[in-house]
Amino acid sequence: MTAPSAAPEQCIYVIDDDEALRDSLVWLLESSGYRVQAWESAESFLRDYLPTMTGCVVLDVRMPGMSGLELFEELKRRHFTLPVIFITGHGDVPMAVSAVKKGAVDFIEKPFSERDMLSLISECLAAEQESRDKRQLEADTARRLTHLTQREREVLDLIIAGKLNKQIADVLGISIKTVEVHRARVMEKMEANSLAELVQNVLAVPGGGGR
């Protein structure tokens, strides 16, 4: 069996009122090397919900009490960012399609193959890790921006505007050598290995491309 690609901290959260299906899904995922937690209802999951959860959610679309779709809507209100895969019976496909349109990653129809479920899980975990890494890079870049002096930020803004050292020197009324010193300090403080990386990281931060 292929080794999972989940990061150590990632977990798969299974929410399904069908005990037999829930147990078999937990067994499948754990035997494939994944960390798994399971709940029998949307309400019980919400009691344990933490904003710091990482990984993905496998959610039955139709359950007694709060449905999977209602739980999904509640999680969206809480700015929940993890990928959600809906499990659906044939008659519930329209509900699952509606959920996908509202932001769920996908749905899988019962009875599903182990291979299809594991493939979906792998894709979701990779996407969640990529999204989390992107948010972390943006946070790190925003923090590094606060460490720049006013002059370094002025030089950075002109670099992002595509200005050459001579043009930056003319705009700021300083020497080219001074621009080079500030530029080197900007690269060091922003922990960028290249000009392209510097520009890309700064532009990814809301408001980072100019003040």
Side-chain angles (χ1 to χ4, degrees), residues 1-207:
M1 189 169 290
T2 304
S5 58
E9 68 274 16
Q10 286 181 307
C11 183
I12 301 163
Y13 308 100
V14 177
I15 308 156
D16 198 314
D17 66 299
D18 184 330
E19 184 178 3
L21 179 60
R22 188 173 67 249
D23 289 347
S24 66
L25 192 50
V26 169
W27 177 86
L28 168 66
L29 297 172
E30 288 185 338
S31 65
S32 299
Y34 292 113
R35 290 178 58 233
V36 186
Q37 293 181 34
W39 291 264
E40 63 182 7
S41 70
E43 291 86 352
S44 60
F45 173 78
L46 281 178
R47 283 194 294 271
D48 295 335
Y49 165 73
L50 293 171
T52 53
M53 286 176 166
T54 62
C56 70
V57 174
V58 179
L59 175 60
D60 193 354
V61 73
R62 186 183 293 276
M63 295 183 289
M66 177 182 279
S67 71
L69 203 56
E70 289 169 336
L71 173 60
F72 180 63
E73 293 284 3
E74 175 59 29
L75 291 174
K76 282 181 62 180
R77 282 192 287 273
R78 300 187 187 195
H79 307 290
F80 187 76
T81 59
L82 299 193
V84 175
I85 301 168
F86 275 100
I87 299 175
T88 175
H90 177 70
D92 296 325
V93 168
M95 289 174 63
V97 170
S98 173
V100 169
K101 289 179 179 178
K102 293 177 180 177
V105 169
D106 209 339
F107 66 89
I108 189 166
E109 194 173 348
K110 295 183 281 190
F112 50 81
S113 73
E114 293 183 357
R115 177 179 294 181
D116 287 346
M117 175 58 80
L118 290 174
S119 177
L120 259 181
I121 291 289
S122 179
E123 290 173 11
C124 283
L125 291 178
E128 191 271 334
Q129 182 68 56
E130 182 179 350
S131 175
R132 190 150 40 93
D133 289 346
K134 182 174 180 289
R135 292 195 302 274
Q136 185 61 57
L137 177 58
E138 290 175 0
D140 289 343
T141 301
R143 174 180 51 79
R144 291 167 189 153
L145 283 170
T146 66
H147 295 161
L148 299 181
T149 65
Q150 181 178 344
R151 180 64 78 184
E152 288 165 353
R153 184 59 204 249
E154 289 170 349
V155 170
L156 173 60
D157 288 343
L158 291 168
I159 289 172
I160 292 173
K163 302 297 184 183
L164 301 175
N165 284 357
K166 184 179 184 308
Q167 294 171 309
I168 295 173
D170 290 342
V171 171
L172 298 180
I174 57 179
S175 70
I176 294 178
K177 185 173 183 59
T178 302
V179 171
E180 291 172 349
V181 171
H182 286 310
R183 183 168 177 151
R185 287 176 179 165
V186 168
M187 295 291 289
E188 181 181 358
K189 288 184 177 181
M190 297 304 296
E191 300 183 25
N193 296 313
S194 68
L195 181 62
E197 181 183 344
L198 173 69
V199 173
Q200 183 179 28
N201 289 351
V202 173
L203 289 179
V205 177

